[in-house]
Amino acid sequence: MQVYAELALLENFCMNFTMLYGAKAVTKNPVSYLRIALSALTGAAFAVIFPLLGIENVLLQTAVKLAAGMAISAIGGKFSRFAGYLKFTLVFFALTFLTGGALFALFALAGGKFLSGQGYMLASMPAGIPLFGALVTVLCIKRAARAFMKRHTRCSVRCRITVGGRVAEVGGFFDSGNKVHFRGMPVSVAPRAVAEKLTDVGGIDSCVEIHTVSGRTMLKVFMADSVEIDDGTHRRKLGRVMIGVSQSNIKKLILSPDLAEI
């Protein structure tokens, strides 16, 4: 029984960590891995303790689980506004339900056996552990790829930005710390003077929240028709590149590292 409880704790921790990381990635939440681990551990402890509460009413069981999920999301994310918390929570629930349903169908098709508990199920071969292992592998590969890119990408490049009939040229560099995204698209940050040559900055309505050393702020963004990147050896032309308008006194275009992988 003790081994079963420990295995259940480990599996639920792995599953919760994976789902919370998924929510972090989808919502671009700046929460640390340590805080995600703390939230995942809290959720795992709840999953093990919940059957001992002896709640038999189905509606009450559902309400308690939903409340627990909301608490896990509150611990596992970093929020400045309620809208951010709500988005993170909804994504966490969606990933949990989708993954749980997919795993249940997979095990059913494979003839796997499930052990039913009070409001939770644990596979005879725990699914959360290999899922967590796959996530760790992906994170390690991603980190190694970024390190390789940082070593092999030239620090300084020349960029030619085109918007409509307007063109601006500016020096630039790839910054591995630039993780800004707008609706799933990587954002490169341009000096305000450069942006003003390309568009009416005052008329830009689209913004994305960014995190800087001085706190959170809103970054205006617009779509460039193309950006040519010349590193002195090769020249690449990328279409439809999202550009942010810097509020700081920068001189070069801060290119998203995602553009180096395109």
Side-chain angles (χ1 to χ4, degrees):
M1 184 67 180
Q2 182 179 355
V3 174
Y4 176 83
E6 291 175 352
L7 187 60
L9 184 66
L10 177 60
E11 181 186 16
N12 279 287
F13 170 82
C14 293
M15 187 66 76
N16 285 332
F17 189 98
T18 304
M19 297 304 102
L20 286 167
Y21 175 80
K24 166 186 168 67
V26 171
T27 61
K28 310 299 178 185
N29 195 282
V31 66
S32 66
Y33 291 117
L34 180 61
R35 190 161 171 177
I36 289 179
L38 175 61
S39 179
L41 184 60
T42 302
F46 168 79
V48 174
I49 295 173
F50 180 75
L52 304 178
L53 300 178
I55 301 176
E56 297 181 357
N57 185 280
V58 176
L59 291 178
L60 184 56
Q61 285 183 3
T62 303
V64 172
K65 288 180 182 179
L66 288 175
M70 294 173 67
I72 292 169
S73 296
I75 299 172
K78 198 172 183 181
F79 315 104
S80 59
R81 295 179 299 176
F82 179 75
Y85 162 72
L86 182 61
K87 182 179 179 181
F88 186 94
T89 302
L90 291 175
V91 172
F92 172 67
F93 278 137
L95 290 175
T96 301
F97 293 148
L98 289 173
T99 304
L103 288 174
F104 183 84
L106 180 63
F107 272 86
L109 290 173
K113 296 180 179 179
F114 280 94
L115 299 177
S116 277
Q118 295 287 332
Y120 70 93
M121 288 185 293
L122 179 68
S124 55
M125 168 127 3
I129 297 175
L131 190 65
F132 177 75
L135 172 63
V136 172
T137 301
V138 169
L139 291 178
C140 290
I141 292 173
K142 189 175 180 181
R143 182 176 291 272
R146 284 181 176 175
F148 178 86
M149 183 192 68
K150 189 174 182 179
R151 290 195 302 268
H152 293 82
T153 301
R154 291 177 180 267
C155 294
S156 182
V157 295
R158 291 299 303 174
C159 302
R160 180 183 174 90
I161 310 172
T162 302
V163 178
R166 300 182 180 184
V167 177
E169 295 189 0
V170 63
F173 63 95
F174 289 96
D175 182 6
S176 60
N178 178 6
K179 303 182 186 302
V180 182
H181 285 73
F182 177 76
R183 296 178 180 173
M185 297 184 65
V187 176
S188 298
V189 183
R192 184 180 181 90
V194 172
E196 288 176 341
K197 294 179 181 179
L198 299 167
T199 187
D200 176 17
V201 173
I204 296 176
D205 295 325
S206 300
C207 295
V208 61
E209 185 179 64
I210 62 172
H211 306 270
T212 66
V213 292
S214 59
R216 295 180 176 83
T217 186
M218 301 304 294
L219 182 74
K220 291 187 175 184
V221 295
F222 64 94
M223 179 73 73
D225 295 331
S226 66
V227 174
E228 291 185 22
I229 302 174
D230 185 352
D231 64 8
T233 304
H234 302 94
R235 178 179 294 178
R236 295 186 305 145
K237 185 174 182 178
L238 306 176
R240 293 180 57 81
V241 177
M242 190 63 68
I243 304 293
V245 183
S246 175
Q247 298 180 3
S248 305
N249 185 27
I250 63 174
K251 302 298 182 182
K252 293 186 176 183
L253 178 66
I254 304 176
L255 292 160
S256 169
D258 293 352
L259 298 181
E261 302 172 3
I262 298 176

